[in-house]
Amino acid sequence: MTTPRSTAHSRRHLLAAVTTLACTALAPWAHAQEVWPAKPIRIVVPFAPGGTTDILARAIAPELSKVLGQSVIVDNKPGAGGNVGADLVAKSAPDGYTFLMGTVGTHGINKALYAKMPFDPQKDFAPVTLVAGVPNVMVMNAEKAQRLNIRTAADFVTYAKANPGKFNMASSGNGTSIHLAGELFKSRTGVFMAHIPYRGSGPAMMDMVGGNADVMFDNLPSALPHIKSGKLKAFAVTSAQRSSVLPDLPTVEEAAALPGFDASSWFGLLAPAGTPGPIVNRVQQETAKALNSPAIKEKLEAQGAIPSGNTPQAFAQLIDAEIKKWAAVVKASGAKVD
């Protein structure tokens, strides 16, 4: 016969066993959280070296390495307008060791531009923080612009309409903001330029400087050195406001009489969906500190970038809004990638 005392004794034994089992199962996870990071961290850049995405990743990587006590490696994985590298991160283990330097292309434009996407920019990622926003800038090979006496965006439109098919337009890849800014300009002005997609802004810029490509709507940080050196002729920034770095340069709206023209870029860190919240928050906080340090902030602002470091929640809201915005831009431009 079972007595109340023996029943209570059995229950205590059962509770102790369950507690021990639960603690044993959770021990590796708890230990993993305590020691993170225990190995090098990778930031995947979905474009070739030399572009703004790469510049920003390499600016914050050393700072994160200092505070996290592990190497932070920048890994370039270009292709398909950033989709190759983004997909790699989307399918990586959510363990805090793989991050993406995402862009307005990978997480704002491509969903509307590509007929088939290998990942969902909202469901497959955990937003960490917006790193920086930058305007794009319309540039032309300086030697060619001088030879053709093209000094402004309005001059360019006039010449291009009188000489259809004369110019090509370089971009960092299908679906990037560089591509879409150009497509929007084409649709708003009625100018035709053959699109030449590259595997990143760096390779495209090499052909721009070398005279093999004519026009580009590049991110300002990667174009700025070539503008200053005189290799490129800058016509206008694509943002709604002028840039503090080039205050005398008009906006496209001003230069080409295109009301409401705005095709700016942004770049931010994302992790695979399911990455633990404490890790996401730690990376966001350390990135924000790095972006607000005088050395990094001044360096980025000198290149035309506007540092951020906002919260994961604010970054997620930005992505949601940008997907809606760029869907309308893609539709209006008529651009599509199969």
Side-chain angles (χ1 to χ4, degrees):
M1 179 177 178
T2 303
T3 65
R5 182 176 180 180
S6 62
T7 300
H9 184 71
S10 299
R11 286 175 178 170
R12 283 197 298 272
H13 273 286
L14 179 60
L15 180 60
V18 170
T19 302
T20 301
L21 181 62
C23 290
T24 302
L26 291 172
W29 171 248
H31 179 68
Q33 291 306 291
E34 289 171 7
V35 301
W36 181 91
K39 61 182 181 179
I41 294 167
R42 177 171 61 154
I43 298 177
V44 174
V45 170
F47 298 98
T52 300
T53 320
D54 187 64
I55 290 171
L56 292 173
R58 294 182 190 279
I60 65 170
E63 302 303 313
L64 291 176
S65 181
K66 289 176 190 176
V67 295
L68 296 178
Q70 290 288 344
S71 297
V72 178
I73 302 162
V74 176
D75 189 8
N76 297 86
K77 296 291 184 183
N83 282 352
V84 171
D87 187 47
L88 185 155
V89 175
K91 293 177 172 58
S92 293
D95 54 9
Y97 291 100
T98 305
F99 293 85
L100 173 74
M101 183 59 81
T103 71
V104 64
T106 60
H107 282 75
I109 297 172
N110 288 2
K111 188 172 183 178
L113 186 72
Y114 281 78
K116 293 182 180 179
M117 285 284 285
F119 60 87
D120 187 302
Q122 292 158 297
K123 295 179 181 178
D124 293 340
F125 292 88
V128 178
T129 187
L130 175 68
V131 172
V134 303
N136 290 6
V137 58
M138 180 184 182
V139 292
M140 185 175 179
N141 176 272
E143 186 279 328
K144 191 165 189 176
Q146 184 177 16
R147 177 161 44 86
L148 299 176
N149 196 32
I150 298 175
R151 294 169 295 177
T152 66
D155 289 344
F156 177 83
V157 171
T158 300
Y159 188 94
K161 285 185 174 180
N163 299 271
K166 182 77 174 181
F167 297 124
N168 60 51
M169 180 186 76
S171 84
S172 53
N174 287 317
T176 61
S177 70
I178 296 171
H179 171 208
L180 260 290
E183 292 294 344
L184 186 59
F185 183 85
K186 287 164 62 176
S187 69
R188 293 288 301 275
T189 60
V191 164
F192 173 77
M193 293 180 281
H195 176 221
I196 304 176
Y198 289 77
R199 292 172 68 84
S201 181
M205 192 51 63
M206 288 179 64
D207 269 7
M208 283 289 298
V209 171
N212 296 317
D214 301 323
V215 182
M216 189 172 175
F217 291 77
D218 194 28
N219 303 140
L220 183 53
S222 50
L224 191 59
H226 305 292
I227 294 171
K228 289 184 175 180
S229 71
K231 296 290 186 181
L232 296 179
K233 172 66 177 176
F235 293 141
V237 290
T238 65
S239 50
Q241 293 83 32
R242 294 191 181 197
S243 169
S244 60
V245 178
L246 297 171
D248 294 331
L249 194 66
T251 64
V252 169
E253 177 176 4
E254 294 170 325
L258 299 176
F261 192 101
D262 184 4
S264 301
S265 298
W266 51 260
F267 307 82
L269 284 176
L270 302 105
T275 299
I279 293 178
V280 169
N281 291 332
R282 174 82 189 281
V283 174
Q284 181 271 322
Q285 291 163 8
E286 299 299 350
T287 302
K289 289 178 186 177
L291 291 171
N292 283 290
S293 66
I296 298 298
K297 188 173 183 179
E298 290 173 13
K299 179 181 179 181
L300 296 184
E301 288 179 344
Q303 298 179 68
I306 303 170
S308 178
N310 64 0
T311 66
Q313 294 77 17
F315 188 27
Q317 290 172 0
L318 172 68
I319 291 171
D320 292 346
E322 286 288 280
I323 286 174
K324 294 175 183 176
K325 168 191 168 180
W326 284 101
V329 173
V330 168
K331 184 178 180 180
S333 71
K336 206 71 181 174
V337 178
D338 293 327

